[in-house]
Amino acid sequence: MSKPIVGIIMGSQSDLPVMRKAADFLSEMKVPFEITIVSAHRTPERMMAYASSARSRGLKVIVAGAGGAAHLPGMIASMTSLPVIGVPIKSSNSIDGWDSILSILQMPGGVPVATVALDGSKNAGILAAQIIGTMDKTLAKRLDKYKESMKESVLATASELEGLGLPKP
Ligand code: RP5
């Protein structure tokens, strides 16, 4: 397998059901990635080592997901100039998910984290692939095909619905 160019990290194994959707999308697009657990609060030294070695290890984008007091994406972004995509997760310690959304979204000036929707890890995978796709024509073509397939699927559903003969307003 080729060297990973996207790093997917999450605060806990309990985040995996959400975060694996980013991994699944990158697999579908044939983007080499690595995936692991890095906790801002439980393994702070590992978090620092991960962020500070990311570029020299060949990563181009980092996708970081966490729930509750979600400091992982922001802390990673504070230690690398690679783009960081944050995934807020509705976890067992979330109040309602806003805690995680706001922790990831409301970064101070100068340290951006591209924040996707609550549990929106598929979009994080798509965005990571799109960033890589700015410099990779083959991948850009795969992404265009993906968009086309979404359009076709919506149009097919729409014509099915129109064919049901439901009363019109
Ligand atoms: C966060 O706390 C993790 O990212 C996870 O979403 C949440 C709960 O972690 P566990 O207690 O399930 O390990 O740091």
Side-chain angles (χ1 to χ4, degrees), residues 10-15 39-42 65-70 72 89-94:
M10 64 207 86
S12 165
Q13 189 178 356
S14 62
D15 300 323
S39 167
H41 303 119
R42 294 168 178 155
L72 181 66
I89 294 177
K90 190 161 189 304
S91 57
S92 57
N93 61 327
S94 285

Side-chain angles (χ1 to χ4, degrees), residues 2 13 16 23 48 55 89 92 107 112-113 120 163:
S2 354
Q13 189 178 356
L16 186 57
M48 285 194 253
R55 186 184 288 278
I89 294 177
S92 57
M107 287 296 291
V113 170

Side-chain angles (χ1 to χ4, degrees), residues 108-166:
V111 193
V113 170
T115 310
V116 296
L118 187 66
D119 292 342
S121 108
K122 181 169 182 179
N123 269 1
I126 296 173
L127 189 52
Q130 288 178 336
I131 292 170
I132 306 286
T134 58
M135 290 163 298
D136 178 335
K137 278 189 189 155
T138 314
L139 174 59
K141 272 196 188 131
R142 273 187 216 123
L143 288 162
D144 287 342
K145 257 195 190 162
Y146 169 73
K147 276 207 178 296
E148 195 57 34
S149 74
M150 265 195 308
K151 185 166 84 186
E152 279 162 15
S153 134
V154 171
L155 293 179
T157 315
S159 71
E160 233 173 75
L161 180 62
E162 288 157 17
L164 288 179
L166 294 176

Side-chain angles (χ1 to χ4, degrees), residues 41-114:
H41 303 119
R42 294 168 178 155
T43 65
E45 297 84 3
R46 175 172 163 80
M47 174 190 65
M48 285 194 253
Y50 190 93
S52 51
S53 68
R55 186 184 288 278
S56 61
R57 289 188 304 106
L59 296 184
K60 307 277 183 226
V61 185
I62 297 173
V63 174
H71 295 126
L72 181 66
M75 287 306 295
I76 293 282
S78 75
M79 287 179 279
T80 177
S81 52
L82 292 177
V84 177
I85 304 169
V87 184
I89 294 177
K90 190 161 189 304
S91 57
S92 57
N93 61 327
S94 285
I95 296 172
D96 55 10
W98 278 112
D99 38 10
S100 170
I101 293 172
L102 296 175
S103 308
I104 296 176
L105 183 67
Q106 292 300 112
M107 287 296 291
V111 193
V113 170

